[in-house]
């Protein structure tokens, strides 16, 4: 489908079952968090920074980068396990809350407070 604006992405993502991002180089695929917020479990490579949101077997899976067989097996598993997919969709939404702006703000405040404390000692 190519690039699309955020509003269109928010409408498109829920039409799918799984997010697949087997990237070789990705600092933090924000699209993974966006997809998970829409209830999509994620299949990502171990080079995707957003792999930190993925708990294998709970809300997605992480495959070795460049391993086409592992990627194909992961996609096949999702295609063959629709009942598990429904449970994983709920877990994906829950995991995406770690990227909520309020949570992010709290982390920034925590880090800055820690730095301030270090400079005082």
């Amino acid at each position: 489908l190519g690039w699309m604006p955020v509003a269109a992405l928010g409408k498109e993502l829920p039409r799918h079952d799984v997010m697949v991002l087997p990237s070789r180089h990705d600092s933090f695929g924000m699209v993974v968090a966006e997809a998970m917020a829409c209830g999509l479990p994620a299949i990502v490579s171990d080079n995707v920074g957003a792999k930190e949101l993925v708990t294998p077997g709970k809300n997605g899976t992480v495959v070795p980068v460049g391993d086409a067989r592992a990627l194909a097996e992961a996609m096949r598993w999702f295609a063959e396990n629709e009942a598990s997919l429904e449970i994983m969709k709920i877990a994906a939404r829950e995991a995406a809350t770690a990227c909520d702006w309020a949570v992010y703000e709290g982390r920034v405040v925590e880090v800055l407070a820690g730095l301030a404390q270090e400079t005082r000692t």
Side-chain angles (χ1 to χ4, degrees):
L1 298 173
W3 182 89
M4 59 181 63
V6 174
L9 185 63
K11 291 178 183 174
E12 183 64 32
L13 286 173
R15 296 180 50 221
H16 302 276
D17 293 317
V18 180
M19 168 61 174
V20 181
L21 185 63
S23 183
R24 292 185 180 277
H25 308 285
D26 193 90
S27 58
F28 189 93
M30 195 58 172
V31 71
V32 175
E34 293 165 339
M36 292 177 82
C38 291
L40 292 156
I43 301 171
V44 299
S45 74
D46 54 6
N47 276 12
V48 172
K51 71 180 176 285
E52 301 302 322
L53 295 174
V54 179
T55 303
K58 182 176 180 184
N59 61 17
T61 192
V62 179
V63 298
V65 68
D67 189 336
R69 179 171 284 146
L71 179 60
E73 288 173 9
M75 290 189 293
R76 184 178 303 112
W77 186 90
F78 279 95
E80 294 173 351
N81 291 278
E82 290 184 46
S84 296
L85 183 63
E86 293 308 313
I87 295 166
M88 293 178 95
K89 286 181 175 191
I90 295 166
R93 281 187 202 97
E94 291 171 2
T97 62
C99 294
D100 179 87
W101 282 112
V103 173
Y104 178 76
E105 178 184 347
R107 286 185 189 155
V108 169
V109 168
E110 185 178 303
V111 168
L112 293 175
L115 290 172
Q117 183 65 28
E118 286 180 20
T119 58
R120 291 184 193 139
T121 56

